[in-house]
Amino acid sequence: MRIAAALVALAAATAALGQDRPTEDELFGKPPAESPPAAAQQEPKEPAPRPGEPAAPARPEEAELFGGTGSPNAAPPPAGRLVDRAEAETLRIGGQLYLRAQALWQEDVPPADWALSSPNLLDLWLDARPNDRVRAFVLGRMRYDPTAPVTSGAPSLSAAEQGILGYGTSTGGIAAGVRGPRAVLDQLWVNFDVARRVFVTAGRQHVKWGVGKFWNPTDYLHPVRRDPLAVFDERTGTTMVKVHVPWERRGWNAYGVALLDDAAGVDTPTNRLGRVGVGGRTEVVLGTVELGADALTQDGHRPRFGIDASAGVWDLDVYAEAALRTSRDAPRWREVSPGAPLVIRFGRVDPQGFTPAAVVGGSWSAKYSDEDTVTLGAEYSFDDAGYDSKGVYPFLLAGAPELTGDPSAPLRQRDPTAFRPFYLGRHYAGAFVLLPSPGTWNDTTFTVSVLGNLSDRSFVARLDHALLALTYLRVESFVAASFGARGGEFRLGVDVPLSDVAPGLPPDVTISVPPPVVQLGVALRVSL
């Protein structure tokens, strides 16, 4: 029933190990930083130009356009050209086709009733570079799910199934649970330089701050939090004007941004000068250590500050970042009326004082043969604004009241984004093992990852396999298992009396949603 659907929107471990969006420097010339765990088996890249300069006219890398400092699915560009050779240095056309299917097994559910989803994607881009100082780029994305209903009024999957299958965390504005096709603009920007010393990028673009792999609390320029287990980051870009001033001799960089979208992703328009957000970031290199500091402020939101560091220590690559803030990304709730119906049992707790969030992690790579390596990594995340237990989850899943809403309002008037998977608890931990091209399997990559919400003691483990076939075709598959405390974020099972959700209905009727057990998936990816 629809009430049951509203109660269980959990995005528990649904896709392969997450990929970071490219930094602004990777798009415009700075040599890319070390890839995140999922970025295994990258294709060789041409030497990058000086920091801050636009890259030489060439076909953009898949990692450059579709998320990640490198992608395990990146394929060499096709030999054929879509434009005349005389125009090859001026205009490039390309894209990506991503077909996938995912199934969810829940406790005591027969195979015939397992949830099924097929959220397919098509990305198309145009890249114009009339000379080495000007570049214009546009990328459009279309989503189509043949397993979903034709209209948005009758979703084919429950909220739990949509969440667990990866709909609810990083769709970036593309409607979930709707057949489509639905289109959205991902990027639309122009890049140019001023006297070859100052580099300007204006328009809808991706700019990532911070160094975290699984969690990234200082990623202030993306209003939607990244799903750390998503094989493909579907968040769309943010509209801004970015100014980059590099100090090439020292390898230092300074950035300024004017943000034309709302920093929190709400619908409040930025239609007056006072609503334009302002921020900046500096990066300093001291030997083998790189330090970063950033800040962002916008009318209607409290200022946000962040610091990060990364360094090589012996054979380890270590990193840390901290969000220094006096605000929270979403309203938080506390039980104020024990025993009351669920929808009015909790009261909103506004942030008070300093509420930091921090991430620390590292990775280690070792050769086990002349040509083969294995990489191990781990990360810990702390959020002072997170929940210590799972008791509030049913209330959040039912839809906490909107900021200006009435706690007793009908469910249709309640906030469906109150439950934010991967960013609910105070303490998280993650670990991964990356095995690219083992032995004679030169076109194969294996990744094992485990994430846990230490606050509610629920976990998910996932094995991913990627095979490069027929030069341009990437075949992906995965299996993920949930375990730990029932009712926790990654093993969410709910048993709630119907009267708790809708006061006045019979109290002897219980809404029961079984927890997830295993999720399976397969995908085909082609770079166009």
Side-chain angles (χ1 to χ4, degrees):
M1 60 173 56
R2 297 181 63 85
I3 296 177
L7 269 177
V8 277
L10 169 66
T14 61
L17 190 58
Q19 302 176 18
D20 292 330
R21 275 288 183 181
T23 64
E24 58 271 28
D25 293 323
E26 289 163 1
L27 281 175
F28 308 123
K30 183 178 178 180
E34 181 187 359
S35 299
Q41 199 177 353
Q42 300 179 45
E43 300 296 331
K45 297 182 180 180
E46 298 180 0
R50 297 182 302 168
E53 290 188 350
R59 183 184 188 277
E61 296 287 342
E62 178 183 3
E64 180 179 292
L65 303 178
F66 308 122
T69 52
S71 169
N73 307 300
R81 294 179 179 268
L82 297 178
V83 295
D84 186 87
R85 181 177 295 273
E87 302 178 43
E89 300 301 315
T90 302
L91 176 65
R92 301 281 178 167
I93 304 173
Q96 173 183 239
L97 179 63
Y98 190 28
L99 304 180
R100 51 188 174 176
Q102 304 168 149
L104 172 67
W105 171 18
Q106 293 168 281
E107 279 187 5
D108 303 321
V109 176
D113 294 328
W114 290 2
L116 176 66
S117 173
S118 182
N120 303 311
L121 296 176
L122 173 64
D123 282 0
L124 295 175
W125 51 259
L126 299 173
D127 188 5
R129 310 192 196 190
N131 58 45
D132 64 348
R133 301 180 62 181
V134 177
R135 180 181 180 186
F137 185 84
V138 58
L139 188 153
R141 175 168 300 146
M142 182 181 72
R143 183 186 183 115
Y144 174 70
D145 186 348
T147 66
V150 177
T151 63
S152 59
S156 61
L157 301 180
S158 71
E161 294 159 347
Q162 291 181 17
I164 296 170
L165 288 172
Y167 282 106
T169 55
S170 59
T171 54
I174 303 177
V178 180
R179 179 177 297 180
R182 292 295 181 91
V184 67
L185 179 67
D186 179 35
Q187 299 180 55
L188 180 70
W189 48 258
V190 173
N191 171 251
F192 59 92
D193 70 75
V194 178
R196 297 189 182 272
R197 294 182 180 275
V198 179
F199 302 89
V200 180
T201 307
R204 193 170 181 86
Q205 56 189 291
H206 290 280
V207 180
K208 177 185 176 296
W209 291 349
V211 293
K213 310 302 184 187
F214 289 112
W215 294 275
N216 190 194
T218 65
D219 188 15
Y220 295 142
L221 297 181
H222 279 107
V224 178
R225 288 295 193 98
R226 180 174 60 89
D227 181 346
L229 287 177
V231 67
F232 184 79
D233 190 348
E234 297 176 37
R235 297 180 300 173
T236 56
T238 306
T239 306
M240 70 184 81
V241 177
K242 176 178 65 68
V243 178
H244 174 202
V245 182
W247 187 0
E248 297 178 23
R249 185 172 63 86
R250 300 295 299 270
W252 295 7
N253 295 278
Y255 303 91
V257 297
L259 190 63
L260 300 181
D261 287 341
D262 189 271
V266 299
D267 293 333
T268 306
T270 311
N271 56 3
R272 57 184 178 86
L273 190 60
R275 277 283 294 158
V276 175
V278 179
R281 175 175 171 85
T282 58
E283 297 172 348
V284 175
V285 177
L286 301 174
T288 62
V289 179
E290 182 171 338
L291 305 174
D294 43 65
L296 180 68
T297 183
Q298 187 176 40
D299 183 34
H301 304 291
R302 297 181 183 179
R304 308 177 184 187
F305 304 91
I307 56 174
D308 58 76
S310 57
V313 181
W314 297 294
D315 293 332
L316 297 175
D317 293 316
V318 297
Y319 58 88
E321 71 174 87
L324 311 176
R325 64 194 185 187
T326 57
S327 62
R328 304 179 184 183
D329 294 327
R332 295 294 170 172
W333 305 86
R334 179 178 58 198
E335 188 173 22
V336 294
S337 302
L342 180 67
V343 292
I344 58 173
R345 187 181 306 166
F346 294 83
R348 181 180 171 189
V349 181
D350 289 322
Q352 298 292 332
F354 186 49
T355 55
V359 163
V360 59
S363 62
W364 173 73
S365 297
K367 298 188 67 174
Y368 59 90
S369 72
D370 290 340
E371 298 180 349
D372 300 313
T373 62
V374 59
T375 301
L376 295 84
E379 186 171 298
Y380 166 77
S381 173
F382 167 78
D383 188 348
D384 191 50
Y387 295 107
D388 288 317
S389 66
K390 59 189 179 183
V392 71
Y393 294 170
F395 170 77
L396 300 177
L397 291 166
E402 295 180 350
L403 297 185
T404 59
D406 179 356
S408 61
L411 291 180
R412 62 182 175 83
Q413 297 180 13
R414 306 175 75 82
D415 181 9
T417 65
F419 190 93
R420 298 195 176 193
F422 307 106
Y423 299 92
L424 290 171
R426 286 173 62 87
H427 303 277
Y428 285 93
F432 70 91
V433 178
L434 178 63
L435 196 63
S437 307
T440 59
W441 295 2
N442 293 327
D443 296 324
T444 302
T445 298
F446 294 95
T447 305
V448 177
S449 53
V450 180
L451 287 186
N453 183 327
L454 305 183
S455 298
D456 63 28
R457 294 178 174 81
S458 64
F459 304 86
V460 58
R462 180 173 173 126
L463 170 64
D464 284 277
H465 168 263
L467 172 66
L468 179 63
L470 304 178
T471 307
Y472 305 113
L473 175 65
R474 182 75 62 174
V475 181
E476 305 169 356
S477 60
F478 75 88
V479 56
S482 299
F483 58 99
R486 189 181 192 277
E489 177 182 352
F490 297 123
R491 191 169 176 262
L492 188 65
V494 178
D495 297 290
V496 177
L498 186 59
S499 59
D500 268 10
V501 180
L505 293 181
D508 56 344
V509 178
T510 300
I511 300 173
S512 296
V513 178
V517 179
V518 172
Q519 186 187 358
L520 307 170
V522 63
L524 301 175
R525 187 192 297 234
V526 179
S527 293
L528 306 177

